[in-house]
Amino acid sequence: MILGIGTDLANIDRIAGTLDRFGDRFRDRVFTPTEQRKAERRKDVAGTYAKRWAAKEACSKALGTGLRMGIAWKDMAVSNIHTGQPVMEVTGWAKERLDAMTPPGHEAVIHVTLTDDHPWAQAFVVIEARPSG
């Protein structure tokens, strides 16, 4: 069953400007060290950060809270499995919220997809509850 759906559209140029203006202060507030390493290795640094920004926004919407009620930016983190597919991990209050919205006898699975076409980066997040096996 679907527990939540979220989407977000981020402007890559806006994220680039924020990176230029605030640098590490912005990076360290919003992105985990793993996300930062991934972005800084890429040709399109700002695009990579923008996709992850959009994913965090989309995840917070799928959790039904938006970025309020105690969710911190770094409570939601995007990484990639060996095939390149993005995955979302939640910790802290985001994990508490996910656990609270997951019905007994089920496990939550977070699906995330990212795309960009300059100047836009987009993310979709679907939270699914699967029966525990």
Side-chain angles (χ1 to χ4, degrees):
M1 87 182 68
I2 302 298
L3 298 179
I5 299 172
T7 186
D8 193 66
L9 186 65
N11 185 287
I12 296 169
D13 294 332
R14 181 173 159 252
I15 296 296
T18 303
L19 289 164
D20 289 343
R21 184 169 178 199
F22 298 105
D24 287 341
R25 194 170 88 187
F26 171 65
R27 283 181 196 88
D28 293 341
R29 180 174 162 255
V30 176
F31 302 101
T32 66
T34 300
E35 290 172 314
Q36 291 181 42
R37 282 191 301 275
K38 175 76 169 184
E40 297 299 326
R41 286 194 317 258
R42 302 304 280 286
K43 179 180 161 191
D44 183 10
V45 172
T48 302
Y49 279 122
K51 285 186 281 190
R52 278 147 179 76
W53 171 280
K56 291 168 186 270
E57 288 274 7
C59 184
S60 71
K61 293 170 185 174
L63 289 168
T65 63
L67 283 162
R68 63 178 200 275
M69 297 176 59
I71 290 181
W73 285 103
K74 292 196 288 187
D75 284 350
M76 301 164 287
V78 178
S79 61
N80 299 84
I81 60 175
H82 70 281
T83 61
Q85 176 185 349
V87 293
M88 177 72 70
E89 179 184 353
V90 293
T91 58
W93 197 90
K95 174 75 168 120
E96 291 175 23
R97 171 69 181 150
L98 180 64
D99 291 345
M101 63 192 282
T102 304
H106 290 76
E107 62 181 347
V109 179
I110 302 173
H111 304 276
V112 60
T113 187
L114 309 172
T115 191
D116 65 294
D117 187 8
H118 196 89
W120 301 108
Q122 186 173 32
F124 286 94
V125 170
V126 175
I127 301 174
E128 173 190 12
R130 291 183 185 162
S132 299

